[in-house]
């Protein structure tokens, strides 16, 4: 790291200016030749060129050659966003034989041509921006990237299929994985399904082997019923605190025999069973489902008679021949250090009560798709039997698509899986009951391998498809055949008239939305959300599993709605990114850290409160501030606070910015 | 004729404190008088403009000019002294950065004159008479200098070699500066002849300043008791010490008053006011707008507080929507 | 003022939110007034009030600061530190004759390309209404009245004053 940002006055600044056409992306709105000609007149510019594609090999070679031929020692590339090609051009600069940080990019595409209406003003704006870049690059000095070791372990947050897949991939590659799952078991939503579209293979058959592999993998530390409560550090070196909630069960002793559940003083369930989405009740001591991993029961302190403060005969305790029950257990906080973090916290389904005219919660025979998923599962609460809440086996079922999705009043986005999940449920319901099935859809969205074929199969098998957004579900009968039925009122947009379809059962295909605590999780890991609240990837196409925070990756539905095949693929990609980070054993840190010019520091301590990472300390002996470059992340907040101008920041030093401000404004 | 080097003092828009402070060096002045000869020294000796004019160009070794520049006469005298002197030192905050007089840059000349000659409570002026640059009186022309639209620092009018800030400067600094110069040593041109580090470095209270200072609300010193030992900023008083060059001998702090910033910033700072603003605001504890505003309520006049001595040399120099001077 | 007057806005955008939002606006081909000159900083906390004053002094008609929403700063609270400085700076600038509309602080997240566009357009309209600030010229003319270096004639005149 260079600790002296002052100029070497002996060195003559020789700048090369390169402006890119980006095909027509830039050139159509900006007269690049004119800008190049203008840049040539700026002090220090030795050579100025425009070129079709600067990022192409030939474009980069132009820089390399010019550095050699014109003895250039500063480079300005006016092209796209530095987020896209800063690395490219820095590397080219380095190939030319000078320090990569002597290159600066000016963003005339995203901030210029693409937002411009008028060619003349866009060209003038580009000139100003070019002048700003040339102005600042004069001040650039050579900088070195610091190397930091990378810890060889990864934290995966969330144990749905995304987290499971990512954890296994990493563990199989020999990295240690901490898998933290909030619920008592891993599995996520997929564990709740009976079959998966479009192949209709049994969810449990493909998921449970993976779950048990996680449970027994030597490289995986599985902490279910746990939550990350704090995270700090930087790429390759994160310190994380995990709260492990008390299960009131000695985990080493419990074998999952469920004798305690059997013998609980409550003879029947007392509270809604979360795993079965409230279709049945569970006891205070329970296991989510028989194949749960870890295969350990848990006691819910809110309903347990003893733990909630009441009296209980504690019949569960003697029931366990391994004395695994432990009412004295308290929560623990584990501290771990990891090199990378994969966030795979999944989604929640849309709350159907937010669409009151669909009658969910009012009419007992209105269900959500997730409830039906449980109902059709042979190991589910009804053992696969489809019966309405009023005890009837439905003879007709209406499936309403897009509930909460593609709707400006609720969620604007398409949840991507509901059409296919509805088709799957249509198939299963018909199979289980032989009922007439009516699908109410806005558009059928079946993009995916074998998806359209599945849709066709359902069409052929005599399912009804009615195109139109359902207006209302009501029990108000207007005709005799509507008596004792739920009536789905819809405008059939294919035939053009309003229809009332009487059915016994209504299934609401609820959409996918961000977890309720997404904004908390996001802050924990210092990542952003897109407008809808799903976690934001660094680039939608080029870095879809990375985030703006180095070393934090995304997998699964926490980043946006997707089906299982896509989730698994994405989880693999996230694992690959983490591996690519871990494997070299070190990371190169951006050099834009801050440092104190000792002689100028008065020890006023203003900066000490500024640093969010505690990088600044007070040297008691010399009575000055000292910045630890390992901890500094280069925000520059302390720099701006120092009343003596004693703190400098590499690449963003006062002089660089003053010059950029002056020059970018100099062009009228 | 004496061969002792000639030294000059001159005052422009100033209170006279700067020259007084120099007289304060007491016995040392007598020693200095042995070494040098005074060419002009209005506060202590009777010299006339003609005496200076009569000197050869460059005959004066060094002239210390104090006070800000607001009149045509001051400009003329400064030009004259520049020509006659090898070294010009801006002496004191006013010459260095405009000082208190430069706060007049917040009002127009017209508003200023109107107040002084018409509206001030003690003025009776039914004819709205104003000073004129030329008045014919009993056949003789009496002249007055022109008052400029704005107040300037010395270096905005003539070339300045060195500066010694302070309101008033610590006489030790000027003695040291003269000794250095007389010894033949020449610091780099433009240098400020005072330590290049802020006041906190020398402040007797620095150890009482907490490492993680966070201020709920700033306080005004005349409304609260001031603890004589604790860092004033830590007590919530607006102390400019962190953003002010040292060299004063911490006079205000030792007098239990917060630093008001008279020594100007350290080298490289373009705007002392902006710097004290950023450092003070950085200490505020509140996170929301209302809380932040409340914390800084006691800074009733930010410009007056942050630019008490530096308005002329600040980035904006004056209230920007005042009438702009017209070329002569 | 001709109706082609295009104000000049110096925009300090933090790398993680607002700069990225500006990229997004570009990728989404949103059109907005060609008034901004973006200076990238890693965090809005890096913005030294000196930068803002110097922007005005060097010819900006307005200064726009864009940072992450409170709670979203990539460096936790840099934006809060920015806000603290901004509040008093804006108050002070009014005393120095700079209208509050000329300095604006906006929280614009990486996904809010649309908001970026709206803010720039709204601010540009405000500045068109206010007209140019043109401080470089004003600063130059501040010294028009000063006695320039003496000419020979002036020296003569000085010397011969009775
Ligand atoms: C009704 C319905 C039917 C579907 N049917 C199919 C189908 O047939 N085929 C198909 O391909 N796709 C189907 N899908 C889509 C499928 O559910 C998703 O693609 C898949 O579940 C996404 O997996 P995930 O791991 O990203 O999220 P999830 O399955 O939601 O898993 C996330 C996990 O993270 C945990 N978690 C959340 N927050 C935290 C936290 N803060 N700390 C720790 N852990 C946390 C959760 O408890 C959960 O275990 C269906 C979706 C729905 C709604
Ligand atoms: S460098 Fe950027 S602007 Fe140029 S062609 Fe490549 S992508 Fe386009
Ligand atoms: S703010 Fe500046 S002068 Fe004060 S202690 Fe920190 S580095 Fe030193
Ligand atoms: S720039 Fe300063 S405040 Fe920011 S991380 Fe580095 S030391 Fe801390
Ligand atoms: S802030 Fe003022 S009182 Fe406190 S240490 Fe600095 S100069 Fe001394
Ligand atoms: S990173 Fe955007 S405001 Fe701090």
């Amino acid at each position: 790291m260079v600790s002296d940002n002052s100029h070497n006055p002996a060195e003559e600044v020789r700048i090369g200016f390169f402006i890119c056409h980006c095909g027509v992306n830039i050139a159509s709105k900006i007269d690049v030749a004119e800008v190049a000609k203008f840049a040539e007149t700026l002090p220090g510019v030795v050579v100025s060129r425009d070129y079709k594609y600067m990022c192409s090999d030939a474009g980069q070679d132009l820089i390399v050659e010019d550095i050699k031929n014109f003895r250039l020692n500063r480079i300005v590339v006016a092209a796209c966003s530095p987020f896209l090609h800063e690395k490219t051009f820095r590397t080219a600069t380095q190939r030319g034989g000078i320090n990569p940080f002597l290159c600066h990019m000016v963003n005339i595409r995203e901030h210029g041509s693409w937002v411009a209406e008028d060619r003349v003003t866009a060209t003038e704006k580009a000139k100003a921006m070019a002048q700003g870049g040339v102005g600042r690059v004069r001040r650039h000095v050579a900088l070195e990237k610091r190397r930091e070791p990378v810890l060889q372990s990864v934290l995966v947050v969330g144990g749905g299929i995304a987290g499971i897949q990512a954890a296994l991939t990493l563990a199989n590659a020999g990295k240690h994985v901490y898998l933290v799952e909030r619920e008592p078991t891993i599995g996520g939503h997929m564990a709740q399904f009976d079959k998966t579209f479009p192949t209709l293979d049994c969810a449990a058959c493909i998921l449970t082997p993976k779950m048990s592999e996680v449970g027994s993998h030597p490289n995986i530390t599985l902490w279910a019923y746990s939550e990350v409560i704090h995270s700090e550090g930087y790429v390759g070196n994160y310190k994380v605190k995990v709260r492990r909630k008390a299960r009131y069960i000695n985990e080493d002793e419990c074998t999952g025999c469920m004798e305690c559940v059997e013998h609980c003083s409550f003879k029947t369930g007392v509270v809604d069973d979360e795993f079965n989405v409230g279709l049945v009740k569970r006891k205070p001591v329970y296991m989510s489902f028989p194949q749960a991993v870890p295969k350990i029961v848990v006691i819910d302190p809110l309903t347990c008679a003893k733990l909630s403060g009441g009296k209980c005969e504690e019949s569960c305790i003697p029931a366990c021949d391994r004395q695994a029950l432990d009412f004295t257990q308290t929560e623990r906080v584990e501290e771990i250090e990891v090199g990378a973090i994969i966030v795979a916290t999944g989604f929640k389904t849309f709350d159907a009560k937010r669409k009151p005219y669909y009658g969910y919660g009012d009419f007992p025979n209105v269900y959500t798709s997730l409830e039906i998923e449980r109902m059709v599962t042979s190991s589910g609460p009804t053992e696969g039997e489809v019966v309405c809440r009023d005890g009837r086996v439905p003879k007709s079922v209406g499936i309403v698509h897009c509930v909460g999705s593609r709707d400006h009043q609720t969620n604007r986005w398409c949840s991507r899986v509901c059409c296919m999940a509805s088709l799957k449920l249509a198939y299963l319901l018909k199979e289980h009951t032989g009922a007439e099935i009516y699908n109410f859809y806005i558009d059928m969205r079946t993009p995916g391998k074998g998806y359209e074929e599945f849709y066709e199969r359902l069409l052929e098998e005599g399912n009804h498809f009615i195109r139109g957004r359902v207006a209302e579900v009501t029990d108000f009968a207007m005709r005799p055949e509507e008596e004792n039925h739920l009536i789905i009122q819809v405008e059939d947009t294919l035939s053009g008239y309003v229809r009332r379809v009487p059915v016994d059962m209504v299934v609401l295909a609820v959409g996918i939305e961000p977890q309720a605590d997404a904004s908390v999780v996001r802050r924990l890991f210092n990542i952003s959300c897109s407008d809808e609240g799903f976690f934001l990837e660094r680039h939608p196409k080029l870095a879809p599993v990375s985030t703006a925070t180095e070393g934090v990756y995304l997998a699964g539905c926490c980043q946006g709605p997707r089906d299982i095949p896509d989730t698994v693929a994405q989880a693999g990609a996230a694992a690959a990114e983490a591996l690519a980070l871990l494997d070299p054993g070190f990371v190169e840190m951006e050099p834009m850290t801050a440092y104190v010019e000792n002689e100028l520091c008065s020890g006023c301590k203003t900066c000490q409160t500024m640093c969010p990472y505690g990088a600044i300390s007070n040297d008691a002996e010399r009575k000055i501030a000292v910045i630890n470059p390992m901890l500094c992340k280069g925000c520059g907040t302390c720099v701006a606070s120092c009343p003596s101008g004693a703190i400098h920041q590499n690449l963003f030093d006062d002089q660089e910015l003053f010059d950029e401000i002056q020059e970018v404004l100099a062009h009228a | 004729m004496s061969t002792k080097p000639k030294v000059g003092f001159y005052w422009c828009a100033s209170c006279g404190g700067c020259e007084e402070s120099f007289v304060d060096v007491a016995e040392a002045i007598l020693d200095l008088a042995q070494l040098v000869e005074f060419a002009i020294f209005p506060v202590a000796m009777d010299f006339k403009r003609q005496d200076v004019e009569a000197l050869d160009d460059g005959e004066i070794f060094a002239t210390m000019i104090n006070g800000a520049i607001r009149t045509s006469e001051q400009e003329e005298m400064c030009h004259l002294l520049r020509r006659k002197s090898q070294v010009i030192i801006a002496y004191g905050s006013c010459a260095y950065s405009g000082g208190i007089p430069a706060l007049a840059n917040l009002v127009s000349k017209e508003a200023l004159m109107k107040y002084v000659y018409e509206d001030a409570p003690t003025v009776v002026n039914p004819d709205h008479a104003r000073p004129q640059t030329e008045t014919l009186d009993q056949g003789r022309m009496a002249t007055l200098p022109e008052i400029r639209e704005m107040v300037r620092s010395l270096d905005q009018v003539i070339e300045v070699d060195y500066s010694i800030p302070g309101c008033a400067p610590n006489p030790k600094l000027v003695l040291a500066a003269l000794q250095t110069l007389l010894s033949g040593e020449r610091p780099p041109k433009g240098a400020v002849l005072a330590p290049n580090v802020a006041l906190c470095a020398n402040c007797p209270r620095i150890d009482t300043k907490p490492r993680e200072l966070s201020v709920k609300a700033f306080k005004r010193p005349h409304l609260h008791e001031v603890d004589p030992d604790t860092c004033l900023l830590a007590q919530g008083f607006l102390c400019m010490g962190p953003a002010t060059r040292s060299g004063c001998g911490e006079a205000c702090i030792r007098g239990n008053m917060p630093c008001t910033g008279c020594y100007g910033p350290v080298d490289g700072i373009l705007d002392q006011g902006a710097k004290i603003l950023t450092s003070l605001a950085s200490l505020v504890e509140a996170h929301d707008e209302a809380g932040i505003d409340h914390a800084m309520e006691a800074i009733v006049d930010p410009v007056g507080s942050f630019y008490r001595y530096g308005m002329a040399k600040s980035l904006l120099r004056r209230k920007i929507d005042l009438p702009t001077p017209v070329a002569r | 003022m001709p109706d082609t007057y295009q104000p000049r806005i110096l925009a300090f955008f933090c790398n993680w939110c607002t700069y990225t939002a500006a990229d997004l606006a570009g990728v989404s081909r949103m059109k907005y007034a060609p008034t901004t000159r973006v200076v990238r900083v890693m965090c809005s906390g890096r913005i030294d009030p000196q930068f803002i004053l110097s922007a005005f002094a060097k010819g900006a008609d307005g200064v726009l600061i864009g940072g992450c929403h409170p709670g979203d700063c990539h460096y936790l609270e840099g934006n809060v530190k920015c806000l603290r400085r901004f509040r008093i700076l804006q108050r002070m600038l009014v005393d120095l004759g700079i209208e509050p509309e000329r300095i604006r602080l906006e929280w614009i997240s990486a996904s809010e390309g649309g908001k970026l566009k709206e803010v720039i357009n709204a601010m540009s309209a405000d500045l068109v209404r206010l007209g140019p600030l043109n401080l470089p010229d004003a600063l130059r003319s501040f010294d028009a009245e000063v006695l320039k270096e003496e000419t020979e004639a002036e020296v003569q005149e000085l010397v011969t004053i009775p």
Side-chain angles (χ1 to χ4, degrees), chain B residues 8-322:
Chain B
F9 276 90
Y10 191 68
W11 54 9
C12 295
S14 74
C15 64
C18 283
E19 298 202 337
E20 282 300 339
S21 83
F22 183 67
V23 177
D24 270 358
V25 295
E27 286 94 74
I29 202 170
L30 300 175
D31 297 342
L32 193 67
Q34 305 288 308
L35 295 173
V36 301
E37 184 183 322
F38 289 102
I40 178 168
F41 196 175
V43 82
M45 299 161 149
D46 188 12
F47 284 94
K48 293 282 182 270
R49 178 165 171 168
Q50 289 89 327
D51 301 325
V52 181
E53 282 163 358
L55 299 172
D56 286 342
D57 283 2
E59 195 178 326
I60 307 177
F61 173 65
T63 301
M64 272 136 289
I65 300 178
N66 68 73
I69 316 295
R70 179 134 213 186
T71 71
S72 55
E73 183 202 28
Q74 290 158 355
E75 290 170 9
E76 287 159 17
M77 281 304 290
C78 292
H79 280 287
L80 176 65
L81 287 165
R82 172 71 270 184
R83 201 150 40 85
K84 301 294 175 192
S85 317
Q86 294 165 30
V87 172
I88 291 281
I89 299 175
Y91 185 62
S93 303
C94 302
Y96 172 54
S97 59
I100 300 276
L103 286 173
N105 282 355
L106 295 171
V107 290
S108 69
K109 174 175 142 188
E110 171 53 27
L112 196 73
M113 299 299 268
K114 184 159 184 302
Y115 181 79
V116 172
Y117 289 99
E118 296 176 29
D119 301 343
T122 54
V123 172
V124 181
N125 181 4
D127 302 336
H128 307 291
R130 294 276 181 89
Q132 303 297 313
T133 47
E134 293 185 335
T135 316
L136 199 59
D137 182 31
Q138 297 164 30
R140 294 179 52 177
M141 183 68 83
T143 59
L144 277 178
E146 180 117 35
I147 296 196
R148 302 301 195 205
E149 281 289 344
M150 57 186 285
V151 181
R152 297 184 173 77
S153 61
L154 185 61
D155 68 348
Q156 287 166 346
V157 175
I158 59 165
E159 209 177 297
V160 167
D161 298 294
Y162 305 114
S163 304
I164 300 178
C167 179
N170 181 345
K172 288 188 193 135
L173 288 178
V174 71
L175 268 184
L178 280 177
Q179 274 153 7
T180 310
L181 291 173
L182 287 170
S183 75
E185 199 186 309
R186 287 282 168 95
K189 195 170 164 116
V192 177
L193 304 178
N196 189 26
V197 66
L199 191 63
C200 290
N202 300 324
C203 179
R205 306 188 186 196
I206 186 68
D207 292 332
T208 65
K209 191 171 184 177
R211 203 177 87 78
E212 302 235 315
L213 179 55
S214 115
V215 178
K216 280 203 169 53
F218 287 105
K219 298 191 274 193
R220 309 185 68 187
H222 62 286
L223 298 177
H224 298 269
E225 204 169 324
V226 183
D227 179 279
D229 300 313
T230 315
C231 164
L232 291 141
L233 209 48
Q235 297 180 55
F237 300 112
L238 203 157
C239 181
M240 296 270 289
T244 305
R245 187 187 289 270
S246 57
C248 57
E250 308 82 55
C252 301
I253 312 289
R254 291 178 201 276
N256 206 21
M257 281 301 285
C259 167
T260 52
C262 72
Y263 268 62
V266 293
D267 289 354
I269 300 296
L270 300 185
D271 195 292
Q272 184 190 15
K275 267 308 194 188
I276 192 66
L277 178 153
T278 185
S279 71
L280 290 178
S282 295
L283 301 176
V284 167
E285 188 184 277
H287 281 69
D288 60 311
E289 295 183 3
I292 293 169
D293 291 351
H294 167 72
M296 290 188 285
E297 237 160 46
I299 307 175
V300 281
D301 172 15
V303 181
S305 306
F306 302 155
Y307 296 98
R308 187 167 301 178
Y309 307 92
M311 196 64 229
K313 280 288 268 187
S314 67
L315 280 166
L316 301 183
R317 293 183 58 189
R318 66 193 296 231
K319 187 159 191 277
I320 56 116
D321 52 357
L322 299 178

